[in-house]
Amino acid sequence: MIKRVKGFKDILHEEAKLREKLLIKAKNFFELNGFKELITPILEKTELFLRSIGEVTDIVQKEMFTFQDKNGESLTLRPEGTASIVRAYIENNLYAYGNIHKFYYYGPMFRRERPQKGRLRQFYQIGIECFGSESPLLDAHVIFILYHLLNELKVKDISIEINSVGCEKCRPCYEENLINYLKKYSKELCSDCNVRIEKNPLRVLDCKNVKCKEIVKQSPNIINFLCNECKEHFDMVKNFLAMFEIPFIENRFMVRGLDYYTRTVFEAISYSLGGQNAIGAGGRYDSLVYNIGGKNVPGIGFAVGLERILLVTEEAIKLDFPEVYLIIIGESTYKKGLEIYKKLVNKNIKVEFDYEMKGLKNQLKKADKINARYAIIIGEEELKEEKLILRDLKLSTQEKISEKELLKKLRG
Ligand code: HAM
């Protein structure tokens, strides 16, 4: 038996239905808010992720599915959507259409993480990315959309956490202060954090190690190091969030695991999730378009993880049983039976029938097994009388009626 790859999963029909339902809701919600769909390939040049997510991040260093193509080129299954959307935005010269561009996307992402509840190696993100405005009103609006999307998808107990990671002007000074502080505790910090001090000090702030968490509590606060522009921007984001009536918590330790962020970062936390409690996350990336080779255009967006939503959504699916099971008995009735089948399908009635046609009892059992609401029975006698038997499988009653009456009964 060849089994599926670790951390990858098959999506069975009930879950597939629920996913489809959530996705349609999300798409409608985005379209309502003026977003347009953008579909990008799942395979990109590795370089794209090195330049966007950052070389010294867990994603790039440990988690990418990267391979060498036959022509020697290094390719990677996308670990997230933002980098690809930015590439597509630049490559298709989408700047040309107006000033502000708002896209949404959906699809599988791949990260070679240790699988656990809510953490897969192939998972699906639904996200948005907006280009062309630095306004703090856009930040607040994007967070508003995240909050309302989760409401729309019936995800309860959501808390929005926000922070500012400053810009290229003010962050270096903060990093210097943070490094000086952390270096005093290098013996007590975990080995990963000791590497981070040198290569990506901000990441020490969200280390999950208990000892590191304790040390970081007294570390310098990034908010005190923001330049005037970043400080004002962050204050305005908070003001607008209040106007949108979005409850939020400031969390100065939230720095996110991707290097492209500037200024506002945020996460939507679901308390019902347990360990992997970030259901969605995002932030502003004002230098990313430029760094990937485009014009100097600011951007901001978020992505939610569909599998994590499935763990907590209150959206139940109504089981979708067939309305009719068509029972055809005797060779002479095949033609009439299939004619009825086509009429039912044309009326959008969900109908199934048996390919073996093995006798009434056998077929009734099958109708029962798949929870059909009605059975329609056509035998030689009914054919002669130009009638059909409509059996209500729930009420265990039946009647002999004409074809016309049948269609009227089922579809009024
Ligand atoms: P991220 O925080 O890496 O951000 O991922 C966003 C969401 O994807 C997470 O909150 C989580 O729900 C889901 N997710 C991530 N990894 C896994 C996994 N291994 N298994 C299941 N679900 C997972 C980003 O990817 C950014 N691109 C978000 C963004 C968009 N920032 C700006 N625009």
Side-chain angles (χ1 to χ4, degrees):
M1 165 66 196
I2 302 166
K3 296 211 165 145
R4 58 179 183 257
V5 179
K6 184 177 171 186
F8 288 65
K9 69 175 220 164
D10 302 310
I11 299 162
L12 305 186
H13 60 281
E14 294 277 292
E15 187 183 322
K17 248 195 151 44
L18 181 51
R19 282 170 172 258
E20 180 73 12
K21 188 170 169 182
L22 295 176
L23 183 62
I24 289 171
K25 276 191 166 202
K27 280 186 169 186
N28 287 341
F29 183 69
F30 291 145
E31 296 271 348
L32 210 68
N33 281 286
F35 288 79
K36 295 192 163 62
E37 187 164 14
L38 188 53
I39 303 172
T40 61
I42 56 166
L43 202 58
E44 296 276 3
K45 294 186 179 169
T46 305
E47 176 75 17
L48 175 66
F49 303 115
L50 302 187
R51 286 220 335 236
S52 54
I53 297 171
E55 298 202 25
V56 193
T57 54
D58 283 353
I59 297 181
V60 166
Q61 290 198 323
K62 305 180 195 161
E63 297 168 3
M64 294 207 305
F65 283 96
T66 295
F67 63 95
Q68 202 176 48
D69 197 12
K70 288 201 172 81
N71 62 5
E73 196 169 32
S74 179
L75 301 178
T76 293
L77 285 175
R78 61 178 182 197
E80 57 113 44
T82 311
S84 304
I85 296 287
V86 171
R87 182 208 41 74
Y89 176 68
I90 302 167
E91 198 167 345
N92 295 289
N93 205 16
L94 298 176
Y95 316 96
Y97 307 94
N99 296 323
I100 176 113
H101 305 100
K102 306 196 283 185
F103 303 105
Y104 72 87
Y105 55 95
Y106 160 79
M109 310 290 159
F110 304 85
R111 293 185 197 174
R112 206 176 184 292
E113 295 189 81
R114 195 169 46 79
Q116 65 179 74
K117 191 172 166 218
R119 198 207 270 156
L120 289 140
R121 290 185 171 180
Q122 178 181 333
F123 58 98
Y124 288 70
Q125 280 186 347
I126 304 176
I128 63 166
E129 310 294 347
C130 311
F131 300 98
S133 173
E134 273 185 80
S135 166
L137 177 55
L138 176 59
D139 302 44
H141 190 215
V142 165
I143 296 170
F144 168 87
I145 287 173
L146 169 63
Y147 190 77
H148 276 267
L149 172 71
L150 292 172
N151 266 331
E152 193 76 7
L153 302 182
K154 302 235 167 41
V155 178
K156 291 279 150 70
D157 293 331
I158 288 295
S159 162
I160 299 285
E161 297 193 353
I162 63 166
N163 193 20
S164 174
V165 292
C167 66
E168 275 132 16
K169 228 165 63 193
C170 54
R171 201 184 306 155
C173 174
Y174 172 66
E175 283 180 333
E176 205 181 304
N177 271 268
L178 181 64
I179 292 169
N180 287 340
Y181 170 82
L182 293 172
K183 276 194 169 157
K184 289 190 269 180
Y185 299 94
S186 66
K187 285 208 179 82
E188 292 156 72
L189 290 167
C190 72
S191 55
D192 276 354
C193 280
N194 270 293
V195 177
R196 289 176 186 136
I197 294 181
E198 299 301 332
K199 298 194 163 160
N200 201 347
L202 282 189
R203 291 310 312 275
V204 178
L205 294 176
D206 68 355
C207 179
K208 302 279 180 286
N209 181 296
V210 182
K211 188 79 205 154
C212 299
K213 266 186 160 171
E214 200 52 44
I215 292 166
V216 146
K217 267 190 192 157
Q218 305 302 324
S219 65
N221 185 343
I222 192 162
I223 301 300
N224 299 332
F225 289 80
L226 296 180
C227 59
N228 285 341
E229 288 89 340
C230 286
K231 171 96 181 55
E232 199 178 311
H233 192 272
F234 193 46
D235 286 342
M236 293 292 284
V237 171
K238 288 186 280 184
N239 283 344
F240 283 125
L241 279 176
M243 288 184 209
F244 276 119
E245 295 183 35
I246 299 295
F248 64 89
I249 299 167
E250 280 187 68
N251 176 0
R252 73 172 183 99
F253 303 110
M254 191 239 297
V255 287
R256 311 277 299 116
L258 307 104
D259 280 356
Y260 48 63
Y261 292 116
T262 50
R263 294 188 166 170
T264 319
V265 288
F266 51 89
E267 283 188 351
I269 308 288
S270 164
Y271 293 115
S272 334
L273 266 178
Q276 298 302 312
N277 62 6
I279 204 148
R284 183 166 271 291
Y285 45 84
D286 289 345
S287 317
L288 184 59
V289 179
Y290 182 76
N291 288 344
I292 293 185
K295 293 183 184 164
N296 208 351
V297 178
I300 180 168
F302 70 73
V304 297
L306 187 54
E307 286 75 12
R308 292 193 190 167
I309 289 174
L310 288 173
L311 290 174
V312 290
T313 181
E314 290 178 4
E315 186 79 85
I317 37 164
K318 235 176 60 219
L319 289 175
D320 212 3
F321 299 125
E323 191 170 349
V324 166
Y325 197 84
L326 186 63
I327 298 179
I328 305 171
I329 302 157
E331 265 178 53
S332 58
T333 54
Y334 285 6
K335 190 167 178 290
K336 185 72 195 165
L338 296 179
E339 199 182 299
I340 302 276
Y341 163 74
K342 283 200 293 184
K343 283 187 180 154
L344 293 172
V345 169
N346 280 339
K347 288 249 177 216
N348 282 331
I349 293 171
K350 201 168 173 229
V351 52
E352 288 189 32
F353 61 86
D354 180 29
Y355 301 110
E356 318 304 329
M357 299 186 187
K358 265 194 181 151
L360 180 62
K361 232 176 161 178
N362 189 293
Q363 293 190 55
L364 271 174
K365 251 193 208 156
K366 286 182 179 160
D368 234 24
K369 211 169 180 174
I370 60 164
N371 276 311
R373 176 75 175 84
Y374 298 103
I376 295 174
I377 306 163
I378 316 169
E380 274 157 20
E381 201 182 306
E382 287 75 35
L383 191 69
K384 262 188 231 140
E385 294 174 17
E386 293 186 7
K387 294 254 157 126
L388 304 152
I389 294 172
L390 177 67
R391 188 178 170 95
D392 188 323
L393 296 171
K394 229 187 221 164
L395 306 176
S396 296
T397 55
Q398 68 176 45
E399 56 186 325
K400 216 176 228 185
I401 51 178
S402 72
E403 206 180 300
K404 220 170 157 187
E405 285 170 315
L406 170 85
L407 293 174
K408 216 168 151 200
K409 216 158 192 144
L410 290 176
R411 276 297 175 266

